[in-house]
């Protein structure tokens, strides 16, 4: 298919060159079915822009750049900095929300030979304004990437002057590389930074205008969270509030308002535009469409109410090392609370780590002896995605000073069938297995002599996995992407119900009763992911499988 696309482009380039000379070019994408490198040479006046997503054939981006470089004279990159359907203009969701991503990739593409850049992006200067600015500098001169701190300071100083400090905090909060996750806490931090900035910038009309617009952006984020966490009639009402607000701020460029109106209801079957309020109804006749600007006094009220309605968490996440060892020294139960107390939750079959693997993930393995790991792998569980290449394995050991994989394998085809795949290491102890399947879903099966642990697991459907609560812990703090399931304490009894005790996704606090610390807990029947902030965020099918940071083992085994 790639050869067909290149043949067409070559013919067009030949005809254009004959008529206009050598200073005209034809552009094509290396994309989707025609992303793999061709078998024929590309005309020197054809610019091939390699897509960074929707790649077929099992290639990495680096492999595509290398392969096309052998056949084409001029390369470009086709990027995805922000796609409204993917990120909804929320903080940190888009590639274009991360200054570090721009700093890393733009020079990397240039030094790999690319000379053109096309990026899908949006008019969403609220979440992505700073990274977009940095991108303009790096695209002009890649050496500027080495001055990112200086450029950020320059941006903050020129845009916000006396409000430099609090606005640095604001942009750090919404940076996609930040540890802050979308939650009441994040929105509360955004509002508080803006309140402090507005106090410092009083009297400077230009700065205040910018702060007003970013306050409107923050209100959009707050409204989107209210909509996404609601259900039934409340969801439809919240959808109306969101659409009205998105239209009213469309001239600010803070979000892609037109995309929000066009796309959100189309992808959410639980909401729709009432008659007379739809996308195609003109503003003069549509009560959901108003272009009346917000006054500064209204924005002041919005910020103060936003602070009151979005409390922030007063805690510091605990940082653990990645030097993991078996938790066997802690004498934890093997794999069932049924051994402790009979309970209806206790008998649920524990999820196997990697039973529905998708994309690129890492698994922590512990081997008592060096040698062969006999994996059972079935790729291509989603039939329509079976053109994304074989399942790729890379095994790493911290004992290897080269930091290169100690073994690799890419022999498993995405055909839905199970294969036995041996992978070998000369080391014992901790290993990291990276599995990449192109998002077509893979079922992994582990040998019995290997302990397997995942960090913040991404499991399909509902899952049940164990985690450890260290001694002295009085509450478990974490983040959830879904309001489902329960947390079971050391006795196998329910200690927290996510659906009953939370109004919205975000951070949770689970009190740890006396005697339930220094023990194995379990998330039961949950959807989405759970990230633990003050206890080790490592999950396994049982106490005999669990690997934990060595400092936790040394402290709690005394």
């Amino acid at each position: 298919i790639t050869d067909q696309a290149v043949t067409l482009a070559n013919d067009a380039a030949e005809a254009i060159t004959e008529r206009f000379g050598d200073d005209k070019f034809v552009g094509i994408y290396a994309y989707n079915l025609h992303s793999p490198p061709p078998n024929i040479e590309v005309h020197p006046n054809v610019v091939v822009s390699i897509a960074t997503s929707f790649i077929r054939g099992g290639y990495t981006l680096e492999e595509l750049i290398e392969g096309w470089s052998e056949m084409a004279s001029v390369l470009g990159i086709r990027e995805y900095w922000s796609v409204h359907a993917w990120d909804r203009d929320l903080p940190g969701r888009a590639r274009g929300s991360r200054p570090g991503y721009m700093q890393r990739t733009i020079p990397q593409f240039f030094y790999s030979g690319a000379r053109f850049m096309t990026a899908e992006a949006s008019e969403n200067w609220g979440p992505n304004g700073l990274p977009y600015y940095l991108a303009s500098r790096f695209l002009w001169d890649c050496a500027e990437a080495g001055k990112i701190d200086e450029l950020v300071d320059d941006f903050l100083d020129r845009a916000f002057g006396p409000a430099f400090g609090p606005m640095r905090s604001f942009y750090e909060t919404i940076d996609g590389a930040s540890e802050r996750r979308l939650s009441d806490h994040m929105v509360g931090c955004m509002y508080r930074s803006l309140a402090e900035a507005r106090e410092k910038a009083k009297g400077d009309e230009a700065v205040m205008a910018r702060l007003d617009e970013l306050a409107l952006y923050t209100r959009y984020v707050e409204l989107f969270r209210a909509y996404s966490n609601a259900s039934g009639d409340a969801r439809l009402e919240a959808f109306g509030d969101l659409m009205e607000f998105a239209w009213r701020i469309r001239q600010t460029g803070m979000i892609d308002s037109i995309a929000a109106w066009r796309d959100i209801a189309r992808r959410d079957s639980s909401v729709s535009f009432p008659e007379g309020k739809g996308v195609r109804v003109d503003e003069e006749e549509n009560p959901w469409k108003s272009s009346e600007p917000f006054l500064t006094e209204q924005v002041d009220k919005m910020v103060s109410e936003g602070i009151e309605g979005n409390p922030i968490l007063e805690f510091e996440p605990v940082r653990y090392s990645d030097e993991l060892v078996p938790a066997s020294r802690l004498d934890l139960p093997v794999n069932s609370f049924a051994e402790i107390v009979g309970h209806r939750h206790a008998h649920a079959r524990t999820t196997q780590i990697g039973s529905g693997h998708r994309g690129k993930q890492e698994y922590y393995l512990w081997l008592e002896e060096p040698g062969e790991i006999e994996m059972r792998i079935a790729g291509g569980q989603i039939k329509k995605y079976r053109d994304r290449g074989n399942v790729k394995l890379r095994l790493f050991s911290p004992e290897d000073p080269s930091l290169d994989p100690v073994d690799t394998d890419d022999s498993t085809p995405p055909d839905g069938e199970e294969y036995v795949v041996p992978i070998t290491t000369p080391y014992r102890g901790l290993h990291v297995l990276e599995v990449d399947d192109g998002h077509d879903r893979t079922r992994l099966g582990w040998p019995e002599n290997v302990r397997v642990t995942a960090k913040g697991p991404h499991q399909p459907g509902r899952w049940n996995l164990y985690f450890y609560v260290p001694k002295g812990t009085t509450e478990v703090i974490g983040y959830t992407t879904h309001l489902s399931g329960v947390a079971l304490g050391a006795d196998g009894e329910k200690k927290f119900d996510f659906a009953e005790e939370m109004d919205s996704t975000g951070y949770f606090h689970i009190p740890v009763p006396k005697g339930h610390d220094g023990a194995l807990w379990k998330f039961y029947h949950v959807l989405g992911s759970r990230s633990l902030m003050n206890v080790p965020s490592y999950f396994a099918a049982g106490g005999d499988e669990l690997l934990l940071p060595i400092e936790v083992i040394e402290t709690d085994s005394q």
Side-chain angles (χ1 to χ4, degrees), residues 2 5-6 27-38 47-56 61 64-65 68 75-78 80:
T2 301
V6 169
I28 64 170
Y29 288 155
Y31 168 81
N32 202 8
L33 296 177
H34 51 92
S35 55
V47 179
V48 180
S49 290
I50 299 169
T52 59
S53 292
F54 302 102
I55 295 171
R56 300 298 181 96
L61 180 58
L64 287 184
I65 292 174
W68 277 95
L75 294 184
I77 295 293
R78 192 265 195 264
Y80 299 83

Side-chain angles (χ1 to χ4, degrees), residues 26-98:
V26 171
I28 64 170
Y29 288 155
Y31 168 81
N32 202 8
L33 296 177
H34 51 92
S35 55
N39 299 302
I40 57 177
E41 289 192 8
V42 181
H43 191 285
N45 280 37
V46 172
V47 179
V48 180
S49 290
I50 299 169
T52 59
S53 292
F54 302 102
I55 295 171
R56 300 298 181 96
Y59 291 87
T60 65
L61 180 58
E62 292 73 19
E63 289 169 342
L64 287 184
I65 292 174
E66 182 180 353
W68 277 95
S69 295
E70 295 176 0
M71 293 296 185
S73 302
V74 191
L75 294 184
I77 295 293
R78 192 265 195 264
E79 258 280 28
Y80 299 83
W81 282 345
S82 181
V83 181
H84 190 271
W86 299 354
D87 58 60
R88 296 302 186 207
D89 293 339
L90 297 172
R93 291 285 181 85
R95 294 177 185 175
S97 71
R98 306 196 293 269

Side-chain angles (χ1 to χ4, degrees), residues 5 124 328 340 366 468 506:
N124 50 8
S328 51
I340 307 173
W366 186 272
Y468 180 71

Side-chain angles (χ1 to χ4, degrees), residues 178 190 265 479:
S178 161
M190 293 166 68
Y479 182 88

Side-chain angles (χ1 to χ4, degrees), residues 249-320:
I249 67 170
R250 74 189 188 286
Q251 302 297 342
T252 66
M254 289 294 99
I255 67 165
D256 190 338
S257 300
I258 303 302
W261 268 70
R262 184 184 64 233
D263 195 67
I264 290 178
R266 185 165 65 89
R267 295 174 184 265
D268 181 358
S269 60
S270 67
V271 300
S272 60
F273 287 97
E275 187 174 350
K277 298 177 181 178
V279 180
R280 299 185 184 279
V281 180
D282 291 340
E283 184 171 320
E284 295 76 18
E285 303 171 0
N286 192 332
W288 279 11
K289 290 182 177 179
S290 170
S291 295
E292 180 184 359
F294 286 93
L295 303 176
T296 295
E297 304 81 58
Q298 293 174 298
V299 177
D300 284 337
K301 183 181 179 183
M302 200 178 291
V303 171
S304 62
E305 291 179 348
I307 291 173
E308 183 178 349
N310 295 276
I312 60 174
L313 302 173
E314 300 294 343
F315 80 96
E316 286 293 326
V318 178
R319 296 186 181 277
Y320 293 96

